[in-house]
Amino acid sequence: SPTRRASCTTGCCNMLEQDTAAQPLCRADQLAERGRAVVFDVLLWRQPARAFALRFDGRVVAYINRCAHVPTEMDWQPGEFLDAERRNIVCSIHGATYAPESGRCVGGPCGRGRLMALEVSESDGQVYWYPSRDIAPLAFDEPDAPALQPSTPS
C-alpha cells in the first residue's frame, strides 16, 4: 500500500515527519454509487472520532462524521448520510446540507463551514484512507489486540 509523509507546513513547531501509510478501509465494491457509507473509527486531535466514506459520482470521498454547525454525528441511520434525493450529505440534527464532492456547506445552519475531509484512494479493488497531522488511525494499547473492522453496507 502507498505511503505518504506529513509534517508541519507552517513552521510553527518542531513536529517530526510522521508516517502516513495508507490504511485499508474496505473493498471498492462495498461502496455503491450514492449508497450507504462505510463508517469507521479514527483519532481526531488524539481523541476518538468517527469518519465515513461514500461513493459519489464515481469517486470515493471521506469525511469526519461531525457537522460544521454543531459538533455532532450526522447520520440519520448507521451509514446513511445522503438526503432523500441522494444529492447532498445532510445532518440529521438541524438539517445542515453539504456537497458530497467537496464537503462545503450548501444549505442550512452550517453557514460557510465545511466537513473535515480525509484523503482517500482506490487501488486494486481496495479503498484506502491516509492519516494526516490531525487524523490518525485508532491504535490499541495491547500489541495483539484485533483491529476494529469498519461497519459495512448491507
Side-chain angles (χ1 to χ4, degrees):
S1 62
T3 299
R4 300 183 184 173
R5 307 265 280 166
S7 62
C8 178
T9 58
T10 64
C12 67
C13 64
N14 294 326
M15 184 177 114
L16 296 174
E17 281 194 353
Q18 71 180 49
D19 190 16
T20 54
Q23 303 294 305
L25 179 58
C26 65
R27 291 188 329 268
D29 63 5
Q30 289 179 271
L31 294 174
E33 179 65 29
R34 298 185 189 213
R36 181 176 290 175
V38 170
V39 179
F40 57 104
D41 295 301
V42 298
L43 291 175
L44 173 63
W45 303 307
R46 298 184 180 164
Q47 298 297 313
R50 302 286 277 167
F52 66 96
L54 57 86
R55 186 178 303 281
F56 190 84
D57 289 349
R59 191 173 132 240
V60 176
V61 295
Y63 299 101
I64 293 295
N65 186 1
R66 182 173 290 173
C67 183
H69 168 235
V70 174
T72 186
E73 292 188 1
M74 302 183 302
D75 40 346
W76 51 274
Q77 291 288 321
E80 295 292 347
F81 292 89
L82 297 177
D83 60 15
E85 293 81 29
R86 318 298 283 169
R87 286 194 306 241
N88 291 301
I89 296 170
V90 64
C91 178
S92 65
I93 305 301
H94 297 114
T97 307
Y98 303 90
E101 62 277 3
S102 66
R104 183 179 57 83
C105 177
V106 294
C110 47
R112 299 168 90 178
R114 70 175 47 238
L115 300 176
M116 183 179 289
L118 284 83
E119 185 178 350
V120 291
S121 69
E122 277 187 82
S123 178
D124 298 323
Q126 177 73 36
V127 175
Y128 299 91
W129 72 274
Y130 295 87
S132 67
R133 183 183 72 206
D134 298 327
I135 304 167
L138 193 62
F140 291 92
D141 291 336
E142 302 170 32
D144 295 326
L148 282 181
Q149 297 299 312
S151 60
T152 55
S154 357

